Amino acid sequence: MLTALSIRDIVLIEALDLALDEGLSALTGETGAGKSILLDSLGLATGARADAGLVRSGAEKGTATAIFETPSNRALKALLEESGIEEEGELILRRVQSADGRTRAFVNDQPVSVALLRQIGDMLVEVHGQHDTHGLLDAATHRGLLDAFGGLEKDVRALTDLHGAWKAAQAELATETEEIERARADADYLRVAVGELRELAPEPGEEDALAGERTLMMSAEKISADLTDALATLEDDGGVEARLAAALGRLEARQDAAAGRLDAAVSALDRAVVEAGEARAQVAAVLDGLEFDADRLEQVEGRLFALRAAARKHSCTVDDLPQVTERLAARLEDIEGGEGRLKELTAAAVQAHEAYLARARKLSDARATAARKLDKAVAKELPPLKLDKARFHTEIDIVADADGGPDGLDRVRFEVATNPGAPFAPLAKIASGGELARFMLALKVSLAARGGAPVLIFDEVDAGVGGAVAQAVGERLAKLAQAVQVLVVTHSPQVAARADNHLKIEKRVKGKAKSDLPATHVTPLESDARREEIARMLAGATVTDAARAAADQLIGAGS
């Protein structure tokens, strides 16, 4: 509900602080008094398009502030939370328009973009009139209004969850498919590479061992000759051992007589005999094992060269080849195993889509039922509004299964035909200004308390009608005001008489100087003042007793 509207320096309004009540509020006054300025100011506060021409002459800036009770609108609360705007029972929308064209927007004194202000404002206020009609004219809103009318919001939320699950399954399947396709291109290479490496069967440290063996075998002939010469030296003339043993025997024979002076020499020779024997045996053993084998050399070189070639191919060291083998084998296993995973994800995506479609089709049936009920409800409202020849129809187009969205498969559009036999078409294309506002009134009465903005404004919805039709317009506005707050700009006494609140708009000049500018004033009317205004609306410039009596009759009929 709109609880207050504060205006500073907007067109003819110098300063205005207006408190508003629930129910139906009528705004009346002479043409040109400034009724439209109030609507322009409210539009400015709620994000409508603005320009420097709105600023009062001589002022640097104009300000419009609208205060709302925060409605229990989930979408609005989510938007406020997403935007980081705190609210405690009320929303204060403020717009500052500078004379130089600049504009600033605030929500609860927090600076926001004009786009966000407009988005919030559209959730709070709908304006319906001959020249400024939106909301119901936007076909994008029709599906939500139909769902609200049919009480289908819970079903839509459930469907939205299923749609999200389906899209998530599709995304996971697409990712996995892309990865599998990339892997398939490498599969043949991996199979060959893994087969080669497993056949080669590299082992850690193998390169150093083979290289050492190869070096040894290539040097075997020269080493063998040197060892033969060394062994001959150790064995010639009875051998080093025999000569050392003979020398040891002579020293031992004189050891006692030498009074200990030969002990060290005897000990050294004794060790020399033993070590000389060991040295000769080692040289002989190495010589025996150092036979040159051309076939073995070829085998060693072939294995070593194969290992090094594999390392170059995989850009690694020979010692890394075992780990490379394991890694490539794992990749190949993933590819082969991924085919099964792909089948699982495909089945999951199909299942998620089928679950979504089943719920979406059920929702489509429920919408078709709600559409028939809405068409009947609107049809009942048209004849009293002098639209008895008009027809209203809720058109539902069902899109292809693959094109379903979070709200379902349906595209909903409200259409009318204003003359018998004429085809149905969108509201904005075939209805005149007065007809359009009355169509909107019929719709809003039918949709009352079933969704939409909590504040509705009808600008001269009674234009071009009078008598019984104007009476019917007033009755339906009053009926609508039982569910939402309604403000109506009207020249019809029948409509004004049905209002719960009556605001008179008039233009006054403070002083008598030619330079004094006129200003718009708003006066809440009660009792006699209200009767006098309705009588003026009935009689014109001269209010007669008969007009007052007629005003009393209208007010009494609306009570």
Side-chain angles (χ1 to χ4, degrees), residues 51-63:
D51 60 60
L54 287 175
V55 180
R56 179 176 166 85
S57 177
E60 294 182 357
K61 63 183 179 181
T63 304

Side-chain angles (χ1 to χ4, degrees), residues 5-13 16 27 34-51 53-55 62-66 95 97 117 125 127 131-132 457 459 487 489 520:
L5 181 62
S6 180
I7 306 169
R8 297 289 184 274
D9 294 321
I10 297 294
V11 194
L12 297 179
I13 298 177
L16 174 65
L27 284 69
K35 297 185 294 296
S36 63
I37 300 175
L38 289 180
L39 300 188
D40 289 341
S41 298
L42 180 57
L44 182 67
T46 53
R49 185 176 179 181
D51 60 60
L54 287 175
V55 180
T63 304
T65 304
R95 185 89 167 274
Q97 176 66 53
L117 183 70
V125 179
V127 178
H131 308 294
D132 184 15
I457 297 174
D459 186 7
L487 280 70
V489 174
T520 294

Side-chain angles (χ1 to χ4, degrees), residues 278-290:
E278 291 178 356
R280 179 186 55 76
Q282 290 291 338
V283 172
V286 172
L287 185 60
D288 290 341
L290 203 61

Side-chain angles (χ1 to χ4, degrees), residues 209-513:
L210 290 172
E213 183 178 1
R214 175 175 177 268
T215 300
L216 181 62
M217 292 181 68
M218 292 179 67
S219 304
E221 186 174 2
K222 184 176 184 304
I223 294 173
S224 179
D226 292 338
L227 290 177
T228 299
D229 291 343
L231 187 60
T233 300
L234 292 173
E235 292 177 344
D236 283 351
D237 299 327
V240 172
E241 292 172 80
R243 293 196 295 276
L244 289 174
L248 177 60
R250 292 191 181 90
L251 293 179
E252 286 178 334
R254 300 287 184 268
Q255 187 174 8
D256 292 338
R261 294 182 179 179
L262 293 176
D263 291 349
V266 170
S267 178
L269 282 172
D270 186 51
R271 292 196 304 274
V273 171
V274 173
E275 291 178 359
E278 291 178 356
R280 179 186 55 76
Q282 290 291 338
V283 172
V286 172
L287 185 60
D288 290 341
L290 203 61
E291 296 179 0
F292 176 75
D293 186 340
D295 291 339
R296 175 59 184 167
L297 177 61
E298 184 177 356
Q299 291 176 0
V300 169
E301 288 184 335
R303 174 72 176 174
L304 181 61
F305 296 159
L307 289 171
R308 289 176 172 171
R312 286 193 300 272
K313 181 177 180 179
H314 295 286
S315 301
C316 65
T317 65
V318 172
D319 284 343
D320 289 336
L321 285 175
Q323 288 79 14
V324 171
T325 303
E326 294 177 3
R327 186 173 70 251
L328 295 182
R331 282 184 59 193
L332 183 59
E333 186 177 346
D334 287 343
I335 294 173
E336 294 171 346
E339 299 291 343
R341 170 67 175 160
L342 197 60
K343 291 180 181 178
E344 293 176 3
L345 291 177
T346 300
V350 170
Q351 184 177 0
H353 191 205
E354 289 175 349
Y356 163 78
L357 288 177
R359 180 63 69 93
R361 287 166 183 156
K362 185 177 179 181
L363 179 59
S364 293
D365 293 339
R367 281 172 172 158
T369 300
R372 289 192 292 271
K373 293 180 179 179
L374 178 60
D375 293 350
K376 290 181 180 179
V378 175
K380 291 180 181 179
E381 296 295 329
L382 295 178
L385 295 173
K386 205 177 179 180
L387 294 170
D388 47 302
K389 295 182 180 180
R391 292 170 295 151
F392 174 84
H393 173 64
T394 303
E395 179 70 20
I396 301 178
D397 297 324
I398 299 180
V399 302
D401 291 351
D403 297 329
D407 294 321
L409 304 171
D410 312 301
R411 292 176 180 169
V412 180
R413 185 174 63 256
F414 297 153
E415 296 182 338
V416 297
T418 55
N419 296 302
F424 283 100
L427 281 167
K429 290 187 176 180
I430 64 172
S432 65
E435 287 176 332
L436 189 56
R438 280 179 282 145
F439 268 119
M440 293 305 173
L441 178 57
L443 262 173
K444 291 309 297 187
V445 170
S446 302
L447 293 168
R450 300 293 186 93
V455 180
L456 302 181
I457 297 174
F458 289 89
D459 186 7
E460 299 189 16
V461 65
D462 49 9
V465 300
V469 176
Q471 183 72 20
V473 170
E475 290 173 357
R476 274 142 189 83
L477 286 171
K479 179 180 177 181
L480 182 58
Q482 294 174 5
V484 294
Q485 184 183 27
V486 178
L487 280 70
V488 57
V489 174
T490 181
H491 289 284
S492 169
Q494 292 90 342
V495 172
R498 297 304 301 263
D500 301 300
N501 316 290
H502 194 149
L503 302 173
K504 181 180 180 181
I505 292 86
E506 55 188 338
K507 187 164 55 177
R508 303 175 189 166
V509 179
K510 283 185 178 181
K512 297 181 179 181

Side-chain angles (χ1 to χ4, degrees), residues 73-149:
N73 183 317
R74 290 189 180 186
L76 177 57
K77 287 184 178 293
L79 177 61
L80 294 174
E81 183 177 350
E82 180 184 341
S83 304
I85 298 173
E86 297 183 359
E87 50 88 12
E88 296 182 358
E90 66 179 16
L91 275 179
I92 303 174
L93 277 55
R94 182 163 59 95
R95 185 89 167 274
V96 179
Q97 176 66 53
S98 299
D100 61 6
R102 292 178 300 169
T103 184
R104 291 180 294 159
F106 303 85
V107 176
N108 286 0
D109 285 330
Q110 180 174 325
V112 298
S113 67
V114 174
L116 177 58
L117 183 70
R118 183 184 304 114
Q119 193 174 0
I120 294 173
D122 285 345
M123 294 182 179
L124 293 169
V125 179
E126 283 185 15
V127 178
H128 302 290
Q130 296 191 66
H131 308 294
D132 184 15
T133 306
H134 62 278
L136 284 173
L137 288 186
D138 184 0
T141 68
H142 295 178
R143 182 169 53 197
L145 291 170
L146 178 63
D147 290 340
F149 177 81

Side-chain angles (χ1 to χ4, degrees), residues 538-557:
L538 285 165
T542 303
V543 177
T544 64
D545 289 340
R548 292 186 180 96
D552 286 336
Q553 186 176 3
L554 287 177
I555 293 172

